[in-house]
């Protein structure tokens, strides 16, 4: 069973993110072998980064960081549902990612982006951050326009947009299973 975290990529009140996150979760229900859970970084009461030592050292001082890291460690793969704000992804997501690092090592991620231009710039910048965490990001992504995939404030993706989701998930599963083997082999060698 591949454990997938659906990371809600913004904490902004009134955002479309809850609708797109719920749609993503529903789409994953159709895939056998996936156990998905929506994860909201704002549930961990993360302040602006307050760890003195960078996350890569995995020497967390604060309980909120330890809880956030422990939650992320549970998963084999991640799906980020991320809006584009000012040609990038939200600062609140970047802040949440800055707390941790190793929890993403040798894992895989997919990106579901949305915005005026389907959130493609946010996705590209998020890919750069995830690469630093030794996280493989599948090539395909879900990308939705706030002009064509949202009607009267309700997320209702057009078929041409939603058809990109299935192939992305297939890659996520294949890569996720491969990375599970890599992590298991590394653990065996370390023991």
């Amino acid at each position: 069973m591949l454990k997938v975290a659906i990371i809600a990529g913004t904490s902004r009140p009134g955002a479309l993110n809850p609708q797109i996150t719920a749609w993503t979760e529903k789409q994953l229900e159709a895939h056998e072998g996936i156990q998905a859970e929506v994860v909201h970084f704002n549930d961990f009461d993360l302040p602006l980064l307050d760890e003195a030592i960078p996350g890569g050292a995995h020497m967390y001082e604060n309980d909120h960081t330890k809880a956030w890291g422990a939650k992320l460690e549970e998963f084999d793969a991640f799906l980020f549902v991320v809006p584009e704000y000012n040609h990038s992804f939200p600062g609140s997501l970047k802040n949440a990612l800055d707390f941790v690092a190793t929890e993403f090592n040798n894992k895989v991620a997919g990106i579901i982006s949305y915005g005026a231009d389907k959130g493609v710039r946010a996705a590209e910048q998020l890919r750069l951050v995830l690469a630093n965490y030794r996280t493989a990001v599948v090539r395909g992504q879900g990308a939705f326009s706030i002009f064509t995939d949202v009607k009267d404030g309700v997320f209702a993706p057009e078929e041409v947009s939603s058809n990109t989701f299935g192939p992305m998930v297939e890659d996520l599963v294949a890569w996720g299973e491969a990375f599970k083997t890599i992590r298991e082999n590394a653990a065996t060698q370390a023991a």
Side-chain angles (χ1 to χ4, degrees):
M1 182 72 66
L2 191 71
K3 291 188 72 176
V4 178
I6 303 168
I7 305 288
T10 184
S11 56
R12 186 179 192 170
L16 284 169
N17 201 272
Q19 292 181 52
I20 300 171
T21 299
W23 179 89
T24 300
E25 184 177 30
K26 184 173 180 169
Q27 300 308 304
L28 290 181
E29 290 174 2
H31 291 270
E32 289 184 22
I34 291 179
Q35 179 184 351
E37 178 182 340
V38 176
V39 177
H40 298 275
F41 55 80
N42 53 330
D43 289 346
F44 294 85
D45 295 321
L46 300 171
L48 285 177
L49 184 59
D50 65 348
E51 289 287 340
I53 299 170
H58 204 263
M59 297 170 58
Y60 307 142
E61 295 176 359
N62 299 304
D63 289 340
H64 53 260
T65 310
K66 291 174 185 174
W68 172 233
K71 183 51 147 177
L72 295 172
E73 191 65 45
E74 295 176 13
F75 299 99
D76 302 305
F78 303 92
L79 277 175
F80 289 87
V81 179
V82 61
E84 182 174 315
Y85 295 165
N86 300 311
H87 290 201
S88 186
F89 63 94
S92 54
L93 175 58
K94 178 66 165 73
N95 184 64
L97 293 174
D98 285 343
F99 275 90
V100 295
T102 59
E103 294 80 0
F104 291 105
N105 290 176
N106 293 319
K107 294 183 181 179
V108 64
I111 300 172
I112 298 100
S113 63
Y114 63 95
D117 293 318
K118 294 192 170 190
V120 294
R121 291 173 292 237
E124 289 306 308
Q125 290 186 24
L126 181 55
R127 286 174 189 274
L128 294 173
V129 172
L130 293 173
N132 182 61
Y133 293 141
R134 295 175 46 207
T135 304
V137 182
V138 297
R139 182 179 182 273
Q141 71 185 60
F144 301 100
S145 169
I146 60 170
F147 299 117
T148 59
D149 297 309
V150 178
K151 283 111 177 133
D152 296 323
V154 176
F155 180 64
E158 292 188 342
E159 186 176 350
V160 68
S161 298
S162 61
N163 282 346
T164 62
F165 188 81
M168 178 192 60
V169 171
E170 289 173 19
D171 285 347
L172 189 81
V173 170
W175 291 21
E177 292 297 335
F179 275 106
K180 277 173 72 171
T181 302
I182 290 169
R183 290 192 311 278
E184 290 167 3
N185 289 342
T188 301
Q189 291 174 357

